[in-house]
Amino acid sequence: MELVLVRHGLPVRRELKEGVADPELAPDGHTQAQRLATYLATEDIAAIYVSPLKRAQETAAPLARTLGIAPVVDDDISEFDRNSSEYVPIEELRGTDDPRWLKMIRGEWEEGHDHPDLFRQRVIEACERIIAKHPGERVVAVCHGGVINQYLAHVLGIETQLGFFYPQYTSIHRVTASRNGLRSLTTLNEVAHLRG
């Protein structure tokens, strides 16, 4: 089977004093989501799984409409910061040497973030559960950069806390999974569809 992991589109920045931030897509993110749907429309896709977070839901929506498939919401493919009161795109944090970015690099996790070990375990179990449900099929999972990093690190045998690469917004990452347990990374960071 083929598991197609897709990072959500570009979201808006949201910082709250309390509550869960859960931002929606920015206008560019909606454009990315539509381009994703157009690109994947010709592929034989059996199911769409999606994180419950708005940025993933809104990214999956055009593809689900195009294919006529109702997405399956899976909380276990949500991001490590799913309960955080703020969402700042990682490139903004990195580009300004924001103290929150520096803490992440040092392995210091913020309140409201899942513990790295529990997050990794949750992600791997979720992806393997999806694979087991769809032998011989192609399935799309619209999720998050941290989720993609953790599962692909598992496939490649890499130990990482933060991640080992930067998945672009609405990028596609394909894993071929055999019934005997072999997992192969087929593509990483497919972004040709974003050129329009």
Side-chain angles (χ1 to χ4, degrees), residues 51-112:
S51 156
L53 299 176
K54 286 179 190 168
R55 56 195 185 267
Q57 297 267 326
E58 291 180 2
T59 301
L63 179 62
R65 277 193 306 273
T66 299
L67 298 178
I69 296 174
V72 176
V73 177
D74 189 333
D75 189 57
D76 289 334
I77 59 171
S78 58
E79 189 63 290
F80 64 86
D81 63 354
R82 60 188 168 172
N83 297 314
S84 179
S85 61
E86 60 186 20
Y87 181 88
V88 181
I90 199 85
E91 55 281 336
E92 286 185 38
L93 294 175
R94 186 180 59 213
T96 59
D97 279 337
D98 188 289
R100 293 167 288 191
W101 165 252
L102 300 174
K103 283 178 81 170
M104 286 172 60
I105 290 175
R106 291 191 301 265
E108 300 168 14
W109 291 80
E110 300 279 334
E111 177 119 3

Side-chain angles (χ1 to χ4, degrees), residues 99-153:
R100 293 167 288 191
W101 165 252
L102 300 174
K103 283 178 81 170
M104 286 172 60
I105 290 175
R106 291 191 301 265
E108 300 168 14
W109 291 80
E110 300 279 334
E111 177 119 3
H113 291 187
D114 291 350
H115 185 277
D117 294 336
L118 296 176
F119 174 59
R120 183 178 307 111
Q121 180 180 352
R122 168 169 63 84
V123 165
I124 292 168
E125 288 175 0
C127 290
E128 290 299 320
R129 185 176 65 247
I130 292 168
I131 288 168
K133 285 183 181 177
H134 297 277
E137 296 179 324
R138 177 178 294 116
V139 174
V140 172
V142 181
C143 53
H144 307 271
V147 172
I148 293 166
N149 259 286
Q150 290 304 320
Y151 188 65
L152 296 186

Side-chain angles (χ1 to χ4, degrees), residues 23 29 44 73 78 147 166 171 193:
D44 185 17
V73 177
S78 58
V147 172
Y166 178 74
S171 56
H193 56 288

Side-chain angles (χ1 to χ4, degrees), residues 23-38:
E24 66 277 2
L25 292 180
D28 285 350
H30 284 288
T31 300
Q32 293 164 344
Q34 189 56 57
R35 288 179 177 167
L36 172 77
T38 301

Side-chain angles (χ1 to χ4, degrees), residues 17 27 37 39 42 59-60 66 71 77 81 109 124 141 159 164 175 195:
K17 292 190 183 204
Y39 184 72
T42 61
T59 301
T66 299
I77 59 171
D81 63 354
W109 291 80
I124 292 168
E159 287 292 324
F164 70 98
V175 174
R195 296 182 192 140

